[in-house]
Amino acid sequence: MQLEHTNTILFKALPPWFEKGEIVKENKEQLKKLLDIINENNVFDVNTEEIIEKIADYIDKDETGQYEENAKNTPFYDLKELLTIKGISNDFFYGKYSEDKYYKGLNDFLTVYSTGKININTAPVEVLTCLSDKMSPSLAESIVNNR
């Protein structure tokens, strides 16, 4: 039986994420928004655009690209495989405490076990914000607060 995670963003290297070996532009933008939210105020000290390119090279079908070293070139089997990508630290993956505040990590928002549907009744603010350019953080927060 496969678990269904409906409050996280589907993260697979299969359609609709990839077409012809390249990440779909809209999904890349969605992932960029999420990584920027997670890396709020550069708390994890990562270059989110570079991380996205590394992830794309890691899972795309071809063996060419700037970040192909140690690339799997197949879909993720386990989300923890992200930890094998240079630049994704344990803190960025699992989250961390800093100055009495907890910063969530990739593990809190991404999954490899999903149909791609997001339940807006359970999704956190960060995920809702990534779904559309029209979804502001304040609108997402209002949705969460009024459930």
Side-chain angles (χ1 to χ4, degrees), residues 34-88:
L34 179 64
L35 295 184
D36 287 341
I37 289 169
I38 293 170
N39 194 37
E40 167 191 0
N41 299 320
N42 204 27
V43 71
F44 292 105
D45 192 30
V46 296
N47 179 333
T48 55
E49 288 184 22
E50 187 175 283
I51 294 291
I52 290 169
E53 293 305 319
K54 288 179 179 183
I55 290 170
D57 270 350
Y58 184 82
I59 58 179
D60 65 9
K61 291 182 180 185
D62 65 41
E63 293 182 10
T64 60
Q66 187 175 355
Y67 304 107
E68 281 295 321
E69 184 180 343
N70 299 321
K72 183 178 175 190
N73 295 319
T74 62
F76 287 110
Y77 176 75
D78 186 320
L79 196 61
K80 289 180 185 175
E81 290 178 63
L82 284 170
L83 290 167
T84 66
I85 297 173
K86 188 174 181 179
I88 298 181

Side-chain angles (χ1 to χ4, degrees), residues 21-38:
E22 296 296 321
I23 194 167
V24 175
K25 181 182 176 190
E26 292 79 20
N27 294 329
K28 195 173 192 176
E29 291 168 1
Q30 186 183 51
L31 183 58
K32 170 85 169 89
K33 285 182 198 176
L34 179 64
L35 295 184
D36 287 341
I37 289 169
I38 293 170

Side-chain angles (χ1 to χ4, degrees), residues 4-146:
E4 178 70 19
H5 296 272
T6 56
N7 62 340
T8 54
I9 294 175
L10 170 67
F11 191 68
K12 286 189 174 183
L14 299 172
W17 271 93
F18 278 79
E19 289 177 3
K20 298 180 184 174
E22 296 296 321
I23 194 167
V24 175
K25 181 182 176 190
E26 292 79 20
N27 294 329
K28 195 173 192 176
E29 291 168 1
Q30 186 183 51
L31 183 58
K32 170 85 169 89
K33 285 182 198 176
L34 179 64
L35 295 184
D36 287 341
I37 289 169
I38 293 170
N39 194 37
E40 167 191 0
N41 299 320
N42 204 27
V43 71
F44 292 105
D45 192 30
V46 296
N47 179 333
T48 55
E49 288 184 22
E50 187 175 283
I51 294 291
I52 290 169
E53 293 305 319
K54 288 179 179 183
I55 290 170
D57 270 350
Y58 184 82
I59 58 179
D60 65 9
K61 291 182 180 185
D62 65 41
E63 293 182 10
T64 60
Q66 187 175 355
Y67 304 107
E68 281 295 321
E69 184 180 343
N70 299 321
K72 183 178 175 190
N73 295 319
T74 62
F76 287 110
Y77 176 75
D78 186 320
L79 196 61
K80 289 180 185 175
E81 290 178 63
L82 284 170
L83 290 167
T84 66
I85 297 173
K86 188 174 181 179
I88 298 181
S89 66
N90 281 334
D91 284 347
F92 193 48
F93 183 79
Y94 291 109
K96 74 174 187 175
Y97 282 97
S98 179
E99 299 176 20
D100 297 328
K101 181 177 179 183
Y102 178 70
Y103 294 91
K104 296 177 182 176
L106 296 171
N107 190 50
D108 294 302
F109 304 108
L110 300 176
T111 185
V112 295
Y113 305 110
S114 176
T115 60
K117 296 176 184 175
I118 295 175
N119 184 340
I120 62 168
N121 295 309
T122 59
V125 170
E126 298 89 347
V127 170
L128 292 175
T129 302
C130 296
L131 298 179
S132 169
D133 289 336
K134 296 176 184 177
M135 181 69 71
S136 67
S138 60
L139 178 58
E141 206 166 298
S142 176
I143 291 170
V144 169
N145 290 337
N146 288 301

